[in-house]
Amino acid sequence: MEKLDILVLAAHPDDAELSCGGTIAAHIAQGKKVGIIDLTRGELGTRGTPEIRAQEASAAQHMLGVSMRENMGFADGFFVNDEEHQRALIRVLRKYQPEMVLTNALADRHPDHARAAALVRDACFFAGLRKIETEEESKPQQPWRPAKLYHFIQSVYQKPDVVVDISAYWETKMQAIQCFKSQFDSSDTKEPQTFLTTPIFLQFVEARARELGHAIGVAYGEGFNVEKQIGVKSLYDFY
């Protein structure tokens, strides 16, 4: 087990890259250990297959320099926020003991995103309760609750509570996104064309990043929401 500073828990392969790829790259550059766990294999996606998307996720992992990437194998479109799924996430939270968790949007167009947000939020809380017993390799796990939980902003605009400057890592983010060729490469005419394969989609991704960056006076930004109030020890922690 390698303790992580940041764990990204995302509903689908490519959610992390699209929504917080720049933030991941920025924190890795700061020496933080970052991991990604995809909740589903994205098997309901119009294009590609779970096997192809797994290969693409691995390529994106190496592009970003992420320490580890796993897949929970939850049912795409049909996973629920229940005890079984919560316990599965509790085990990985206790295994990797992240200080911070990044996860899906609190509300969004895709039903899986808000459902994942609620599931991860509940699992993070329950992971800190010592009377919920779990094991890893037949050994009892210790309670662990991440100190911070941030929700990234996806298709539907949410006013962010915090914006991360990703200007220096914009190209890295785009290269990681482009690892998912089955989803974004329009040259494969054997697969159905979707909104994701049109130039408009990646233009939207850039426009959103530019808008959030403009809000804090930089070139590119990624925004996050919180349900718990953000606290600082000094007003100089802001810029």
Side-chain angles (χ1 to χ4, degrees), residues 138-232:
S138 302
K139 295 180 180 179
Q141 292 182 304
Q142 296 302 307
W144 182 267
R145 182 175 296 148
K148 298 179 179 67
L149 174 61
Y150 292 97
H151 298 269
F152 33 76
I153 297 169
Q154 299 187 260
S155 181
V156 176
Y157 179 78
Q158 311 283 328
K159 183 178 180 180
D161 296 305
V162 61
V163 176
V164 178
D165 178 6
I166 64 163
S167 304
Y169 306 97
W170 173 251
E171 291 302 325
T172 302
K173 172 188 172 82
M174 291 307 297
Q175 289 169 3
I177 291 172
Q178 289 162 1
C179 288
F180 292 90
K181 295 184 182 298
S182 70
Q183 304 303 300
F184 305 110
D185 185 0
S186 61
S187 65
D188 185 356
T189 56
K190 296 179 181 179
E191 290 268 32
Q193 298 300 310
T194 71
F195 175 63
L196 299 182
T197 62
T198 68
I200 294 173
F201 181 76
L202 291 181
Q203 289 170 7
F204 158 73
V205 172
E206 181 171 1
R208 170 67 59 75
R210 284 191 176 276
E211 177 185 22
L212 293 173
H214 176 75
I216 61 170
V218 302
Y220 295 99
E222 287 175 339
F224 299 86
N225 293 118
V226 296
E227 292 183 298
K228 180 181 179 182
Q229 192 70 52
I230 297 173
V232 296

Side-chain angles (χ1 to χ4, degrees), residues 5 41 50 60 72 75-76 88 97 175 200:
D5 297 300
R41 298 180 299 159
M72 298 300 295
D76 190 11
Q97 299 182 351
Q175 289 169 3
I200 294 173

Side-chain angles (χ1 to χ4, degrees), residues 118-136:
L119 171 59
V120 171
R121 176 198 62 209
D122 292 351
C124 285
F125 180 83
F126 291 137
L129 299 182
R130 65 182 181 85
K131 290 188 177 180
I132 296 179
E133 298 179 355
T134 57
E135 293 184 348
E136 171 69 17

